[in-house]
Amino acid sequence: MSALSLVFAAALFCAPAGHPIVTEVYYDAPGDDTGQEFVELWNDSDSTRVLTGVRLEAGDGAGPGRWTLRWTGGAGDSVKPHARFVIGGASVIPRPDVVLSLELQNGPDGLRFVWPDGAAEVVGWGALEFPEYSCGTPAPDVPGGQSLARIPDRANTGSNAGDFHPSQPSPGAANQRTVDAALLRHHTTLVPEQPTPGGTATLQIALANAGITAWGAADASLEVASDLLAAPVSVNAPAMAPGETTMVSIALDALREGRGAFAARVHIAGDESSANDSDTLLARVGAGPLEITEIQFHPAASEGEWVEVRNISHGPLLLEAFRLGDHAGAGGSIEAGPPLPAESLAVLAQDPAALRIAYPMLDGTRLRRVSPWAALNNSDDATGLADQVVLAEAGGVPVERVSYSASGIKAGVTLEREGDTWRPSPTPGGTPLAPPRPVAPVAGGFRADPRRLHPGGDTVNFAWELPWSPAKVTLELYDMEGHRSRRLAGPLDSGAHGERPVTLDALSPGLYLAVLRAESADGSLTRVTPLRVDGR
Amino acid sequence: MRAALLALLLARSAAAQDFAGASPAGSTRAPDGLLDRALPSASPSFSASVSQTSWWGLAGLETRAAAVSASVHTWRAALGLSQTGEPEIGWTAVGIGFGAASRNAGAGLRACARRDRDAPWSVARAFGSGAGVEAGAGAWIVPADGVRVWASAPQVWTGGAAPPLARPLELGVRAGEGSAAWVRLVAPRAGDDGERALGLSLEVSPVVAWAEVRDAPLRGSVGLTAAVSALRVGARVDAHPVLGETLRLSLAWVGEPRRSP
């Protein structure tokens, strides 16, 4: 082949003729990329291709000419006919043919294979400024967890953008398989997140038909195994068209108490890729070793946010073995320190030093910094919730998740646990490292404080006592003649004691009757207390 | 006796506050009708009455009232004093009413001053800065024998601290005397679409029993009044689907002027 024809071919096709071609690049794994990156070559010929002297170079798209050698093919390196050759990190499964740390950039960047005969194949991704890092239009920059795969495997459109597309990583396997049932990684969830021992739950699994062949009902099956189950559970998968993704719910019962993992796997005859057949979910059945007991999500001063926890295991716990965060996940590491004795409280704080200034009597050994601290939201979203406090083991096993509403809660007021319910603390600033103070008896079972409101409106703290628990509570307001003015709150989950601050504004002056209506499985009741709104 | 029983039907509306007795709507022959709704009584009389209202069974929300009334020819006058609620949220009220009435028509004016109970009450303080004052007017006519039509606007004007309950215009018509039926319409206030009421009373001398239903929300009242010589006693219960019951008790002495031979 003349030099001119080589140049012409290169202008038409990105993959040089007569050489294995790049079929997959995985440069952005979730979290730390180390050990997870890989590059895959595919030999589509009927003869073995020797890789001796082939150079793999990484390109830094930030400037021209920034190519760095990552690997050179050794004397024994070759690719068998119609086989794949993977160069990647130690964490890649199945194990690559060559294990090394590629340290590819997340884009806009590129890589290239330079063959001993001078031929080269360049693959670039992202919005590259310099043309040397891509062949034609660069491929798109994929989100973390997805690879850049040549689809179909023989695609040769003349540009990286035309050849490569985001895909689930499939090292060592065809990118476009005839038959391939796949589970989407990290999409498996358990509902409820922490079921009760002996109870039931639903495992929801994201199933995809990653092949080009449809399958019918019962052609594929899903199996779930776990130490938390008495026996593996197997169900038939639904019929699916190529490219289709669906959520499959699997009912689990007689769950065993403890921590463990649900290992889900999909089976189908002729599956051409086993690397994407499984997903694992770390889970807990029953209560964890720590429970969240108090939340300060909007401090009135500068003491920072904090969360109080209690060791409800039967022995000391190392708090650094846990992580804390918000709805986005438990991402904050807990400062190391002495073990927390059983039944003891600890405070996990955004700023322990500031908190000790506000509360000088706090025991410093039970006060730990969390970093990074996930700022807890102070106002509700459309769902009526402000945020979640999420506690998990460092390895990812959930410990507890508490959702809260910030509605009507003044700055500085904490949320305290009372049995299975949460209430605003009656103690200004909360009770860090101390149990909730006993609630004063509520005269008449229902109290409003204050009962005399300013013309512009006030926040009224409603408190109640019920003869049973749990219950659903609704607060309403009527005028003196019995016309309902508005619903103030609810239905709320309540224990035997409850409190709820409610901001009352835009009310006409006059005498009103605040009404508590409570319902439970054991009965219902209504209690009334008067309020006076001043005004002219 | 018939006239005396009718005098027990102290005119008041569902929205009454400070000077209400325990009688149904419709009659205009009672002193608290003038104080409460500016509707003077048809017949001349001298009366003294006391009443107590326990609002929705709340121990800290009761109204105690005393009133006197007098008549000179067609002129009517009334004076009343009441107190409602605990000092933290309650108030003291003084009311006056003037009017004129014949057998077939009447009209009156009323005024009421309220002062919160968070400080000792006095007449000077009642009408001083910080007090709430309201004034209203009412009238009734008898367009046909046994039929009475009334209109009452007890809060035509308000000043100072707002009243505990806004009381809009009320229109009503009543057919009959002791045994009667009536309909009331209350104008809308901010946040509602008014109120409609239908009532019936049955007289079995010397007792009158009555009942009334109202909407928004659907609720009702029942009452019983009785007369022994110049003494009139009454009891009334208002039932609400959520708030419970309001109980009103009243006791009145009614003296009618001797007729000229």
Side-chain angles (χ1 to χ4, degrees), chain B residues 90-111:
Chain B
W91 63 92
T92 300
V94 59
I96 56 174
F98 295 98
S102 67
R103 293 179 59 85
N104 295 320
L109 299 172
R110 69 176 290 273

Side-chain angles (χ1 to χ4, degrees), chain A residues 37-125:
Chain A
E37 298 170 325
F38 68 85
V39 177
E40 178 190 81
L41 286 172
W42 181 41
N43 176 11
D44 191 27
S45 72
D46 296 327
S47 59
T48 297
R49 297 294 184 183
V50 175
L51 300 177
T52 306
V54 175
R55 298 198 313 275
L56 168 59
E57 297 174 343
D60 178 0
R66 296 184 179 182
W67 292 99
T68 307
L69 181 65
R70 289 287 190 270
W71 172 76
T72 302
D77 292 325
S78 63
V79 197
K80 293 178 180 176
H82 305 290
R84 292 169 194 267
F85 189 89
V86 178
I87 304 162
S91 300
V92 176
I93 299 173
R95 183 177 175 79
D97 299 281
V98 174
V99 176
L100 57 80
S101 180
L102 287 170
E103 297 178 8
L104 300 174
Q105 303 292 320
N106 287 351
D109 291 294
L111 62 78
R112 70 182 178 189
F113 279 89
V114 181
W115 298 88
D117 62 1
E121 180 181 3
V122 180
V123 178
W125 55 88

Side-chain angles (χ1 to χ4, degrees), chain A residues 448-452 476 478-484 508-513 515 517 526 528-532 534-536, chain B residues 14-15 55-56 58 61 86 88-91 116 118 130 160-165 189 192 195 214 216-217 219 240 242-243:
Chain A
D449 184 26
R451 293 199 298 166
R452 193 76 182 256
E476 298 173 319
Y478 288 77
D479 70 16
M480 194 176 176
E481 187 57 24
H483 299 282
R484 197 176 92 155
S508 301
L511 188 84
Y512 291 88
L513 301 163
V515 176
R517 305 173 76 173
T526 299
V528 182
T529 191
L531 291 175
R532 179 87 182 272
D534 289 333
R536 291 174 178 270
Chain B
W55 295 92
W56 311 117
L58 298 174
L61 193 61
E86 299 169 315
E88 183 184 0
I89 60 169
W91 63 92
D116 292 340
D118 51 4
L165 180 69
R189 301 173 302 168
D192 67 29
E195 182 180 293
R214 302 187 292 280
R219 57 205 195 279
H240 189 282
V242 174
L243 299 177

Side-chain angles (χ1 to χ4, degrees), chain B:
Chain B
M1 178 63 76
R2 183 183 179 87
L5 280 174
L6 287 175
L8 270 176
L9 303 179
L10 307 179
R12 60 175 306 280
S13 75
Q17 298 168 34
D18 302 297
F19 303 106
S23 299
S27 175
T28 60
R29 305 187 63 184
D32 60 353
L34 184 57
L35 281 177
D36 197 51
R37 295 191 302 160
L39 297 175
S41 61
S43 60
S45 65
F46 297 89
S47 72
S49 63
V50 293
S51 65
Q52 175 161 338
T53 302
S54 177
W55 295 92
W56 311 117
L58 298 174
L61 193 61
E62 291 185 343
T63 296
R64 294 169 294 277
V68 294
S69 69
S71 301
V72 178
H73 302 297
T74 60
W75 298 101
R76 311 283 185 263
L79 175 68
L81 181 68
S82 83
Q83 194 170 71
T84 299
E86 299 169 315
E88 183 184 0
I89 60 169
W91 63 92
T92 300
V94 59
I96 56 174
F98 295 98
S102 67
R103 293 179 59 85
N104 295 320
L109 299 172
R110 69 176 290 273
C112 179
R114 294 186 185 84
R115 189 78 197 194
D116 292 340
R117 291 192 61 196
D118 51 4
W121 187 87
S122 69
V123 173
R125 187 167 176 270
F127 291 94
S129 174
V133 183
E134 65 186 33
W140 58 269
I141 61 169
V142 179
D145 191 31
V147 177
R148 179 173 289 113
V149 178
W150 73 88
S152 171
Q155 291 174 349
V156 175
W157 175 85
T158 62
L165 180 69
R167 300 177 62 194
L169 173 68
E170 176 190 296
L171 303 175
V173 58
R174 176 183 174 116
E177 294 294 338
S179 296
W182 65 89
V183 174
R184 292 190 298 111
L185 297 175
V186 180
R189 301 173 302 168
D192 67 29
D193 64 345
E195 182 180 293
R196 292 140 290 272
L198 177 66
L200 291 169
S201 68
L202 177 65
E203 179 184 14
V204 180
S205 182
V207 174
V208 175
W210 62 271
E212 184 182 76
V213 293
R214 302 187 292 280
D215 67 349
L218 184 63
R219 57 205 195 279
S221 304
V222 295
L224 200 65
T225 60
V228 179
S229 185
L231 287 179
R232 301 31 171 146
V233 294
R236 166 183 176 138
V237 176
D238 295 303
H240 189 282
V242 174
L243 299 177
E245 291 82 35
T246 288
L247 173 64
R248 296 182 174 92
L249 300 172
S250 67
L251 175 66
W253 175 87
V254 179
E256 296 184 332
R258 292 182 179 177
R259 299 178 186 278
S260 301

